[in-house]
Amino acid sequence: MTRQNISSGAPWEPIVGYSRAVRIGNAITVSGTTATGPDGKIVGAGDLRAQTVQTIKNIEAALVKAGASLKAVVRTRIYVTNIAEWEKVGRAHGEFFGEIRPATSMVEVSKLIAPEMLVEIEADAVVERGKGGKGRTGSKRAGGEAGSCP
């Protein structure tokens, strides 16, 4: 099967040796993604909900590059630095995935790679053979241009 590595253009990808996402056949795996904006800075400093929204937009941008959409997501893994605020993350996740309903987990971690990062999300997607899983079925949010993401 052909392997497609998707880059966000982040300078640390070649240093660490990873891709934003990898597609092999109809499976796509998206690396842990944060709320980095087009300028390389964290969107929504101090705002867990805003960071979650930007993170999911960044995941969506990677999926689009891989020929898919959020509709193809079958699993997310959410890492937060303060589990007491789980509902902010959960509600934002639900805005995008409320009808898609992927399997998910949310766990608290002591910290992420930068102190201003409050959430990191991974995603796995599966597209039907010959299809890209296009569309945002279940998403209540309008699409937006997402920037590079660490």
Side-chain angles (χ1 to χ4, degrees):
M1 287 194 178
T2 303
R3 177 188 183 103
Q4 178 187 6
N5 290 344
I6 291 90
S7 174
S8 67
W12 44 84
E13 286 178 11
I15 295 167
V16 176
Y18 78 98
S19 297
R20 167 61 39 227
V22 176
R23 179 173 181 165
I24 297 179
N26 65 338
I28 304 164
T29 302
V30 182
S31 293
T33 303
T34 60
T36 305
D39 60 359
K41 296 180 181 174
I42 295 299
V43 172
D47 184 338
L48 188 52
R49 184 190 177 290
Q51 285 194 24
T52 303
V53 168
Q54 182 64 41
T55 296
I56 295 170
K57 286 180 179 180
N58 290 348
I59 289 169
E60 182 177 38
L63 289 169
V64 167
K65 286 182 181 180
S69 72
L70 292 177
K71 184 178 179 181
V73 173
V74 296
R75 174 138 175 88
T76 58
R77 292 168 196 84
I78 306 167
Y79 306 96
V80 296
T81 57
N82 182 359
I83 199 75
E85 296 193 30
W86 70 269
E87 197 166 354
K88 292 176 185 176
V89 175
R91 288 188 185 279
H93 185 275
E95 288 177 28
F96 290 90
F97 294 110
E99 292 180 29
I100 299 167
R101 309 278 305 257
T104 195
S105 55
M106 184 185 307
V107 297
E108 182 177 76
V109 295
S110 62
K111 60 179 107 172
L112 296 170
I113 200 160
E116 64 273 15
M117 293 176 180
L118 305 175
V119 62
E120 183 170 321
I121 302 174
E122 300 174 350
D124 297 324
V126 178
V127 294
E128 292 181 46
R129 298 223 183 262
K131 294 184 179 180
K134 299 291 184 192
R136 288 185 70 166
T137 300
S139 175
K140 297 178 186 173
R141 299 198 52 86
E145 192 74 26
S148 63
C149 36

